[in-house]
Every structure is written in C-alpha cells, then in structure tokens.
Amino acid sequence: MADIAANVARVQARIADAAARAGRRPGDVRLIAVTKTVDPGRIREAASCGLREFGENRVQEARDKVPAVPGATWHLIGHLQRNKAKEALRLFAMIQSVDSRALAEEVSRRAAATQARIDVLIEVNISGETAKHGVAPEDAEALARDVAELGGVRLCGLMAMAPLVEDAEDTRPYFRRLRELRDRIRDAHPEAGVRELSMGMSNDFEVAVEEGATMVRVGRALFA
Ligand SMILES: *Cc1c(COP(=O)(O)O)cnc(C)c1O
C-alpha cells in the first residue's frame, strides 16, 4: 500500500523546487490529485494530507467519489460526452476537457438553464497523436473565440497531455507550445481572464511547472 502522506510531501517538494528553478512561487501551481481507479478511502487519506483538488476522468466514477470526500473540489479531466453534460455540471467545479464547439454549447446551455456559469479549459491535442482527445493546436484559437462568447461557461485556460516519452525533458517543446497558445488566446480575449495552464502528469510535471503550468494533474506519483 502506498504511503500517501509521504508521496504528497514528495510531490509538493518537487513542485516547489521546479517552481523555484523557473523563478515562480510554489503557490502559483495547484496540485490536482488524479483519482482514477483510486477508491474513496484513499482519496480521503489524500484529503487528510491537505489535498483539496481532485481530478477524475469519467462522470460515472465521480458519481460515488464526489460525495465521499466532503469539501473537495473536482475537475473533469477526461473526455465528456454531450449526454453527460448535465451530470458533469452537478459534480465538477471545472471541466478541463472541452474540445469542440458542440460540447461547449451543450455545457453552456445546461449551466445557463440554472443561472450558473462553469469554469472550463479547452483541451488541446499538442502531441498530434490521433488516439488523444483535444482540439488540434491550429484550431484552438477559433474554438476559444467561440467558447469565450458563450454565457454559461467561463474560459479559464488550456489543458493538454504531452506524448509519452522516455526522457521527460523531451516534453518541454510541447508544454512551451501550449503556453504560447495560452498567451495568444489570453491577449485576444483580455476580458475573459484566460490564465490557467493544466499540464504535467507523474512523468513530466516538473518540466511542465518550469514551462508555466498553473495546475499539474498527478495520479501515480501520489497513489501508486
Ligand atoms: C491519468 C491522467 C493523469 C494522471 O496521470 P499519472 O501518470 O497517473 O500522473 C493526468 N491527466 C489525465 C487527463 C489523465 O487521464
């Protein structure tokens, strides 16, 4: 059984070191603990170590976990089907995986129906791998323009996964590209407050922090 407290401390220290190397403050980076396949007891243990933000890939899995961890904030980080948008709004504070206009419109329509506005990120397929979700980088700015106009969503930034590589250093150009894309979208929509960069996982979160991640999504390094 993983020693979750030790893992949390180790990951937080590595985030702080990476932030310091880049001249950033550790508080500028939020640790999102990814709980896919992790049972509620271990999620509560992580919460008792001070973690407050959790990421789940699937609406179905979140259904049981969200009520089991009082006071936590949940992020949807996996692909969302339009017919699950309504339930996703009930469970998650942020949807990080918006990758089409149709999905953004459905989420916005459902949120607006309850006079709410939900935080969203646009997921970008920076690796270009066909098996990955996300909008193509060259289409991200057009999608951002559409999303920024919707009344039921708040466009907060971008999310991406780097390709799986042997040397984490090789992810750096991908993270840099996502940051540049975020900067262009932020400058094009100053009123939207586009600031978040959700990038970096267990294999590569330090490189992501050095390149400007504001959220890292870490699973195995905490729970495995
Ligand atoms: C599983 C997953 C993570 C965490 O990956 P680890 O390698 O376990 O840290 C982060 N983001 C997404 C979208 C995931 O599916």
Side-chain angles (χ1 to χ4, degrees):
M1 200 57 150
D3 182 348
I4 292 175
N7 290 347
V8 168
R10 199 172 310 119
V11 168
Q12 284 172 331
R14 288 170 59 191
I15 290 171
D17 287 348
R21 284 195 294 279
R24 307 180 62 207
R25 286 170 307 190
D28 293 344
V29 185
R30 288 147 68 186
L31 172 57
I32 315 289
V34 175
T35 58
K36 60 173 178 255
T37 76
V38 179
D39 61 65
R42 293 162 74 219
I43 302 173
R44 277 197 297 268
E45 195 180 334
S48 74
C49 300
L51 298 188
R52 285 291 168 267
E53 298 194 88
F54 297 90
E56 190 58 66
N57 290 65
R58 293 156 57 90
V59 171
Q60 255 136 299
E61 272 198 58
R63 212 175 272 159
D64 297 328
K65 294 177 183 178
V66 169
V69 192
T73 298
W74 289 83
H75 298 254
L76 180 61
I77 61 170
H79 184 66
L80 176 60
Q81 288 172 321
R82 266 183 279 164
N83 61 9
K84 300 233 170 70
K86 186 178 176 198
E87 191 174 11
L89 285 167
R90 184 172 67 76
L91 296 167
F92 296 98
M94 177 180 269
I95 297 174
Q96 300 204 356
S97 48
V98 169
D99 63 357
S100 73
R101 189 190 163 116
L103 175 60
E105 283 175 348
E106 178 66 10
V107 169
S108 176
R109 193 174 66 78
R110 294 281 184 182
T114 62
Q115 268 86 48
R117 213 162 192 219
I118 179 145
D119 290 347
V120 301
L121 304 182
I122 289 176
E123 180 176 359
V124 183
N125 184 355
I126 43 170
S127 72
E129 292 164 287
T130 48
K132 295 240 170 93
H133 289 291
V135 63
E138 59 272 24
D139 297 330
E141 287 171 83
L143 180 57
R145 205 177 308 131
D146 292 341
V147 173
E149 283 177 3
L150 297 172
V153 298
R154 193 179 301 108
L155 177 61
C156 298
L158 304 180
M159 183 269 255
M161 293 166 84
L164 194 57
V165 291
E166 225 161 273
D167 182 354
E169 188 55 36
D170 293 338
T171 60
R172 190 177 298 278
Y174 296 93
F175 292 142
R176 192 168 288 166
R177 188 170 183 199
L178 193 73
R179 167 162 48 89
E180 290 165 357
L181 197 50
R182 190 273 322 261
D183 291 349
R184 283 204 296 278
I185 291 170
R186 182 190 57 199
D187 295 348
H189 306 278
E191 73 295 344
V194 175
R195 56 176 304 278
E196 304 294 349
L197 266 181
S198 175
M199 57 187 197
M201 312 185 353
S202 292
N203 281 332
D204 52 26
F205 68 85
E206 287 152 302
V207 178
V209 168
E210 288 170 6
E211 291 302 326
T214 63
M215 302 179 190
V216 293
R217 309 179 309 271
V218 178
R220 284 169 303 131
L222 295 170
F223 295 109

